[in-house]
Amino acid sequence: MTSGTTRGAAGLVPEAQALIETARRAFARDTRPRALLGDCAGRLEQPLRVALAGSIKAGKSTLLNALVGQDIAPTDATECTRVVTWYRNGPTPSVTALAPDGDRANVVVRRAGGAHGLTFDLDGLRWQSGHPRDIDHLEVEWPAAPLAATTIIDTPGTSSLSREVSRRTARLLTPEDDAAVALPGADAVVYLLRRLDDADVRFLERVGAGTAGGTGPLGVIGVVSRADEIGAGALDALHSARDVAARFAGELERTGLCQAVIPVAGLLAFAAATLRQQEYAAFEALAAVPTAELSAALLSADRFARPDIPLPVPPELRFQIAERFGLFGIRMAVTLIRLGIRDSAALAAELTARSGVDELRGVLDTQFGQRADQLKAHSALTALDRVLRGYPGTEADRLLPRVRTLLADVHGFAELRLLGRLRTDELPLPAADLAELHRLAGGAGIAPHLRLGLPPDAAPAALRAAALDAVRKWRSRAKHPLADQATSAACLTAARSAEGALSQL
């Protein structure tokens, strides 16, 4: 119960802080590693960093806007989508360009109409030094509640035609060992998939290899983005997307990393979060059009917006809602109004629920939000490991075995890895046991009653009894002579999770 394998985040963070401070003292006269270690320590005090990654035009910026619920990320294919952009909570909106040497320049933000609401003007930047600079990354501060606990990093497409643009994302998530000792920038990753092609698999394998070696983000969630397009915008498009997500989850067995794969219609999610009364009125008018007539108009977005198509909504407004909601969103909104939705707030809530973004938020909270301290501690220890390896020959070298032990053995990390395996591996256990494994490992939340499958008002005695039963059951399963290594390891992880719940009680 007191070993490193059962240590929770509450004990891990102070130990990581102590190790970093010891290392800083060992590098008292060496400015560069001390600065890097200062960054390591700072990560433990900052919000969780979640990177949005994926192929070009996967819908990363649109999903970011949907998760934040505001139009803060440009979605048009301009230069700013080719640069790593950090979105943080701040008192007032501001955008700053930073050069590799730290030079800064304010960025002008322009607002346009249609679906591409914001543009960051990167032409003619006035750098503080007065000299032209290449942009290393952008930093956006915006007053938004979701950014208070999570910093979101929007990354360039991993399959960009420009090799340098693709490398920016790779350097952020899985920096290679080199003399510069670059530190990984994210604690967790949301990876957007439109297809599961070789480029996606190679990138996820690289992240997985980095995680196994202690250099990459520990948490990875897959998102089948632009899910409404899979079914050509039909009303059952998300059902088709769920089938695709299940297939992707199976195929991702080769990486063994994603803790979940979820279909999301990001365009619909963002449009629902920012639904305007004028748009609701347009959907209400379209709902009165005979079904066959409206279906013919919705054969394509271009046809829907044509002035010669007789519909009770002006062509300009039709073009706008086609850009913002897509054909799937229009069909869904009209159907919901025909089924009895009578105001814009109710329509927005229903569209949000059907976009998949609520399910994604739930998974992000369970896998990332509730484990934020563990993920940040993993990043800090990973960074410390890289600094110690990059600057050998000091008293700090004696810390390396302890850092490696923590990265390999801390139980919270083992739980995350188990949750990933449960979605990809075929463990030879009954469905009920697999569901219990998922629950004990924190797949439904990390509170003791959630791990034990009991109601929140369960008596302490009932919680303790359930935890003890789970410890006995899964320790016995782990020792079964016919259990293979993977099954035995999974059972042992479940037993340790039950022990952790018992210790909290």
Side-chain angles (χ1 to χ4, degrees):
M1 294 291 293
T2 59
S3 68
T5 54
T6 57
R7 180 184 288 100
L12 178 62
V13 170
E15 182 158 2
Q17 289 172 326
L19 287 169
I20 292 169
E21 183 55 34
T22 301
R24 290 190 74 186
R25 289 196 296 268
F27 289 109
R29 298 182 180 180
D30 205 330
T31 304
R32 174 60 178 166
R34 275 184 64 84
L36 290 170
L37 290 168
D39 290 342
C40 296
R43 296 181 76 142
L44 295 169
E45 306 296 332
Q46 297 170 359
L48 185 73
R49 301 176 179 183
V50 176
L52 300 183
S55 61
I56 192 169
K57 294 185 179 180
K60 297 182 290 295
S61 300
T62 300
L63 181 60
L64 190 155
N65 287 334
L67 289 172
V68 175
Q70 296 187 42
D71 187 7
I72 67 172
T75 56
D76 52 339
T78 57
E79 178 64 23
C80 59
T81 61
R82 297 159 58 87
V83 179
V84 173
T85 305
W86 294 63
Y87 290 85
R88 311 177 191 270
N89 188 51
T92 58
S94 68
V95 182
T96 305
L98 283 89
D101 62 359
D103 200 3
R104 305 168 70 89
N106 292 329
V107 177
V108 175
V109 179
R110 305 188 188 282
R111 186 174 294 277
H116 308 311
L118 284 183
T119 297
F120 298 161
D121 188 354
L122 302 183
D123 294 329
L125 293 176
R126 296 185 177 181
W127 296 93
Q128 290 180 346
S129 65
H131 303 291
R133 290 284 191 272
D134 290 331
I135 298 175
D136 179 72
H137 68 279
L138 301 177
E139 290 193 356
V140 178
E141 287 196 358
W142 209 274
L147 296 176
T150 305
T151 294
I152 302 179
I153 310 170
D154 195 7
T155 66
T158 55
S159 58
S160 172
L161 294 176
S162 168
R163 186 172 298 179
E164 175 54 32
V165 169
S166 295
R167 282 176 178 166
R168 292 170 185 166
T169 300
R171 283 197 299 265
L172 175 81
L173 300 179
T174 56
E176 298 176 354
D177 288 315
D178 56 30
V181 194
L183 303 182
D187 304 311
V189 179
V190 175
Y191 192 85
L192 279 68
L193 302 148
R194 296 188 67 186
R195 301 170 298 276
L196 188 59
D197 56 23
D198 289 342
D200 293 316
V201 171
R202 284 195 303 271
F203 188 84
L204 287 170
E205 285 176 338
R206 178 172 176 177
V207 172
T211 299
T215 62
L218 187 63
V220 179
I221 300 297
V223 170
V224 179
S225 63
R226 305 175 72 162
D228 49 312
E229 297 179 5
I230 290 176
L235 282 174
D236 62 350
L238 281 179
H239 292 291
S240 301
R242 289 190 183 280
D243 293 338
V244 171
R247 178 169 58 82
F248 284 177
E251 293 179 10
L252 285 172
E253 183 176 344
R254 291 196 289 170
T255 70
L257 184 65
C258 279
Q259 280 105 50
V261 181
I262 301 163
V264 177
L267 186 68
L268 176 60
F270 173 60
T274 55
L275 177 66
R276 303 155 187 164
Q277 184 61 37
Q278 181 189 35
E279 292 167 338
Y280 173 79
F283 291 136
E284 206 170 33
L286 292 171
V289 176
T291 300
E293 186 178 331
L294 183 59
S295 297
L298 285 170
L299 289 174
S300 71
D302 288 341
R303 178 179 175 83
F304 177 69
R306 275 170 44 183
D308 60 330
I309 299 295
L311 291 172
V313 176
E316 297 82 5
L317 183 54
R318 279 184 263 154
F319 176 80
Q320 175 185 308
I321 61 175
E323 270 202 318
R324 278 183 31 83
F325 290 82
L327 296 180
F328 171 73
I330 295 171
R331 293 186 179 110
M332 182 62 69
V334 168
T335 299
L336 289 169
I337 289 173
R338 286 172 174 169
L339 291 174
I341 293 293
R342 289 294 175 263
D343 61 74
S344 59
L347 179 61
E350 289 292 336
L351 291 175
T352 298
R354 284 162 172 75
S355 72
V357 74
D358 284 344
E359 181 183 0
L360 175 60
R361 286 194 180 105
V363 172
L364 291 176
D365 176 63
T366 301
Q367 304 293 348
F368 295 167
Q370 295 181 31
R371 298 177 183 271
D373 281 347
Q374 291 175 355
L375 293 169
K376 289 192 291 183
H378 182 273
S379 294
L381 290 168
T382 295
L384 176 58
D385 177 83
R386 292 181 67 87
V387 173
L388 296 178
R389 287 187 291 110
Y391 295 92
T394 72
E395 291 185 4
D397 290 349
R398 64 184 174 83
L399 302 176
L400 198 52
R402 183 59 185 153
V403 173
R404 295 284 177 81
T405 298
L406 288 173
L407 284 171
D409 291 346
V410 168
H411 183 61
F413 303 160
E415 285 184 332
L416 284 170
R417 296 185 185 104
L418 173 59
L419 289 172
R421 288 198 299 271
L422 287 174
R423 289 186 174 270
T424 56
D425 290 351
E426 295 292 334
L427 293 175
L429 294 171
D433 284 343
L434 291 174
E436 186 177 351
L437 274 177
H438 183 267
R439 192 180 67 241
L440 281 170
I446 63 174
H449 73 277
L450 293 174
R451 290 182 185 272
L452 299 170
L454 294 175
D457 58 351
L463 290 166
R464 284 194 293 271
L468 281 170
D469 287 345
V471 171
R472 296 188 186 104
K473 170 182 175 177
W474 292 104
R475 282 211 172 275
S476 175
R477 293 286 186 91
K479 296 176 181 177
H480 196 286
L482 297 182
D484 58 57
Q485 185 175 359
T487 301
S488 179
C491 295
L492 190 58
T493 298
R496 288 171 174 164
S497 295
E499 288 175 349
L502 189 60
S503 70
Q504 287 182 263
L505 299 170

